[in-house]
Amino acid sequence: MINIFFQAVDSAGGYQSVVLQELDKSIDFHKCLMTVKTNDGADSYPGDKYIPVNYDICEHNQYDKIVDFNELLPLDKALLEAMHPYELTAIRMLVRNFDRDIYTMDEGMRYYLRHLRFWNHMLLTHEINYVFFNNTPHHTHDYVIYALAQVYHIRTCVCISTNFENRYFLAGTLENAWERTRELYETKYRYMPEEALTLPEDIAQYYDTICHGSREANEKLVLQGVSRKQEIQEKRKLFRGEMSCSRMLKKNLSRLKWQVLKAGNSLERRKGMDAIREEYRYYRRGRMKLKVMVDTEYYNRLAGAPEKGEAYIIYFLHYQPEATSLPQGGVFVDQELSVAIMARAAKEMGYKLYVKEHFVQPYRNRTFYEDLYQIENVRLIGTDYDSKELVKGSFCGATGNGTVVLESVIRGTPMMIFGESGFQGCPGVYRVGSVEECKQAIRAIGQEKEKGISQKEIRAYLAAFGENSLFSYVYNHEGLKKDSPWFQESKEKLIACIKAQLVEKDE
């Protein structure tokens, strides 16, 4: 008997319900528990087989709208201890609610425990034995679901976004996304004649653009068609808009109308007023937080230019908050920690560490930049300097994770990474986490420097990645028509992927 959890968010055109209904015809699952967020109301989940939970209720921890917590299973010692390794990461993900930290530790723990109690009850009472995520779990509630699946040894599939639009790593855990690709590379593709290596069309186009495209073509590829200026403006607008006066007023006028003025009794009216007060409290905290945050203009006042003739390693900071650093950054979600390690190792090996901010980062705490500035052997580099040229002139690169890893090794520059990356098995990529590991990587890179990274091996790894990835819409936020070829192709690939995993796990 198959009972599945399916993360079905950002659907349009009825995509997710079509996928699930056709999957049901193939495998006849008993129950389907899911989080749902549809853009146009076109998804339909009839009958008792489907148990949809509104994604917005999950994201904002409003479970008491749909359940009485007295009816949920309590949390016991064994579970709380088993979840402890995931606890802090889950709490830190609350930053996604407002794109800034505004909760006290007590509030964060309370919200985490409510997520945990609700989803523990749902997974156990519905006897879920397969979990599917259509993106990396990076909000508190979906990360709690992921963590529970690991604790209970529930078979899991996570679709992890990659450098390539609509192409995903498939992994059972966030830590092993690279293992199957590396295995295919070593056993099937690495020693294949170069003329026999064929890359999927989208990967081949990406590879050629990185190798031979102009700066504008590279930016268009990385930003998926959006200009650099547009991306910066959009990120800043979204960040400030989360705590805008107009947004706050609109939200609370709606609450005043539906939860206070039209409340059925005094208890409901009081709850409505409490919700408005709580929202206003967070609004005030968010506005105060913004006063101690600065944008990249402040960073650029601290930053400078590369020193001519200086031997350096280039470290690229991540845009935050984003899944590439939380959760995939692991213990190095605070990037100043990895910069400090890299700076010490670089100094001992005779290199300066250049650090470059992500050009679309809207705001950070002022202290983040000031702490980076104070780290010995670090030189901050202005955001206007071309990353491609900085990589080209460096001994090697370093970062937590992200698109720059693959871009750099394709261009022949080795990379050290501190986080969990699907490309950590790629030639020229070194996973590190300490000063000594960084020094070992620098020595290894130095020994291989003259030989360089083989482009044939890079293409072999990309061929392995092509075989071990899903090229499909995993959610149809663009609203494709049901009769469009891409809608049908994506649906069939997604269903085939899930069926193959279920069969493989059962054998």
Side-chain angles (χ1 to χ4, degrees), residues 22 482-493:
E22 295 202 14
K482 290 184 179 180
D483 57 356
S484 72
W486 185 229
F487 185 106
Q488 296 299 323
E489 182 182 346
S490 292
K491 176 197 67 178
E492 291 166 6
K493 286 182 175 179

Side-chain angles (χ1 to χ4, degrees), residues 43-248:
D43 289 276
S44 175
Y45 303 103
D48 298 333
K49 177 171 286 196
Y50 297 96
I51 309 155
V53 182
N54 183 278
Y55 192 89
D56 290 332
I57 282 177
C58 301
E59 185 175 355
H60 299 293
N61 209 320
Q62 297 172 337
Y63 301 114
D64 48 6
K65 288 184 176 181
I66 57 175
V67 296
D68 179 352
F69 267 73
N70 289 311
E71 296 178 359
L72 303 184
L73 297 172
L75 302 173
D76 58 33
K77 178 183 177 182
L79 176 60
L80 291 169
E81 289 180 344
M83 285 291 294
H84 189 68
Y86 305 95
E87 185 178 288
L88 182 58
T89 299
I91 292 173
R92 295 194 68 163
M93 284 181 180
L94 291 169
V95 70
R96 300 304 297 264
N97 287 2
F98 297 100
D99 282 347
R100 69 208 81 189
D101 293 304
I102 63 171
Y103 299 109
T104 65
M105 189 62 189
D106 287 344
E107 288 170 342
M109 178 59 77
R110 177 176 179 268
Y111 291 153
Y112 160 70
L113 291 174
R114 285 170 63 84
H115 284 301
L116 180 58
R117 187 169 179 184
F118 177 84
W119 284 108
N120 181 62
H121 177 89
M122 298 297 281
L123 294 182
L124 290 182
T125 56
H126 295 295
E127 300 179 328
I128 300 302
N129 50 27
Y130 177 74
V131 170
F132 180 87
F133 291 96
N134 66 0
N135 63 11
T136 305
H138 60 289
H139 286 266
T140 301
H141 73 275
D142 53 21
Y143 187 74
V144 164
I145 298 167
Y146 165 80
L148 283 167
Q150 303 308 304
V151 167
Y152 289 129
H153 305 291
I154 300 172
R155 47 190 169 181
T156 301
C157 177
V158 181
C159 295
I160 300 176
S161 299
T162 70
N163 306 53
F164 307 90
E165 189 174 10
N166 300 319
R167 188 175 287 276
Y168 300 83
F169 281 111
L170 300 174
T173 73
L174 296 174
E175 295 77 25
N176 71 2
W178 60 278
E179 289 181 352
R180 175 61 178 157
T181 301
R182 179 71 184 188
E183 180 184 337
L184 282 170
Y185 164 73
E186 293 285 0
T187 60
K188 181 176 180 179
Y189 290 100
R190 184 174 186 179
Y191 302 106
M192 188 179 288
E194 188 162 5
E195 60 273 14
L197 288 172
T198 303
L199 303 183
E201 183 179 349
D202 62 312
I203 297 179
Q205 182 181 359
Y206 184 97
Y207 177 85
D208 289 340
T209 302
I210 295 297
C211 285
H212 310 297
S214 64
R215 179 179 181 180
E216 292 74 20
N218 273 264
E219 284 189 357
K220 185 176 180 181
L221 178 70
V222 172
L223 296 175
Q224 298 181 357
V226 180
S227 74
R228 183 184 176 98
K229 184 177 179 180
Q230 284 176 312
E231 186 75 359
I232 294 171
Q233 290 175 340
E234 185 63 24
K235 287 291 191 295
R236 291 188 180 182
K237 181 181 177 182
L238 285 172
F239 186 89
R240 297 189 71 91
E242 283 292 336
M243 288 296 173
S244 67
C245 296
S246 59
R247 184 183 178 95
M248 178 69 182

Side-chain angles (χ1 to χ4, degrees), residues 207-351:
Y207 177 85
D208 289 340
T209 302
I210 295 297
C211 285
H212 310 297
S214 64
R215 179 179 181 180
E216 292 74 20
N218 273 264
E219 284 189 357
K220 185 176 180 181
L221 178 70
V222 172
L223 296 175
Q224 298 181 357
V226 180
S227 74
R228 183 184 176 98
K229 184 177 179 180
Q230 284 176 312
E231 186 75 359
I232 294 171
Q233 290 175 340
E234 185 63 24
K235 287 291 191 295
R236 291 188 180 182
K237 181 181 177 182
L238 285 172
F239 186 89
R240 297 189 71 91
E242 283 292 336
M243 288 296 173
S244 67
C245 296
S246 59
R247 184 183 178 95
M248 178 69 182
L249 182 62
K250 182 178 180 181
K251 188 183 293 186
N252 281 338
L253 282 176
S254 176
R255 280 205 171 100
L256 183 64
K257 177 180 179 180
W258 296 105
Q259 294 179 244
V260 178
L261 298 179
K262 294 192 176 185
N265 54 56
S266 60
L267 178 61
E268 290 180 5
R269 280 194 294 274
R270 191 175 75 242
K271 286 183 177 180
M273 287 304 300
D274 287 344
I276 291 173
R277 293 188 188 100
E278 181 180 58
E279 191 72 27
Y280 183 64
R281 183 167 68 249
Y282 293 148
Y283 166 76
R284 289 184 63 189
R285 286 186 196 170
R287 299 288 291 186
M288 290 176 64
K289 182 78 172 180
L290 191 57
K291 291 180 180 180
V292 299
M293 302 186 84
V294 293
D295 59 19
T296 51
E297 292 176 10
Y298 180 85
Y299 165 85
N300 282 326
R301 289 200 292 271
L302 297 177
E307 190 74 25
K308 188 174 182 180
E310 189 169 44
Y312 67 89
I313 294 170
I314 177 70
Y315 189 104
F316 293 101
L317 295 172
H318 280 292
Y319 169 81
Q320 291 179 298
E322 195 50 88
T324 48
S325 59
L326 185 64
Q328 288 176 275
V331 296
F332 292 110
V333 59
D334 298 301
Q335 296 181 84
E336 62 269 32
L337 301 177
S338 47
V339 169
I341 290 173
M342 194 70 250
R344 175 67 64 86
K347 181 182 178 182
E348 293 182 12
M349 299 299 288
Y351 296 93

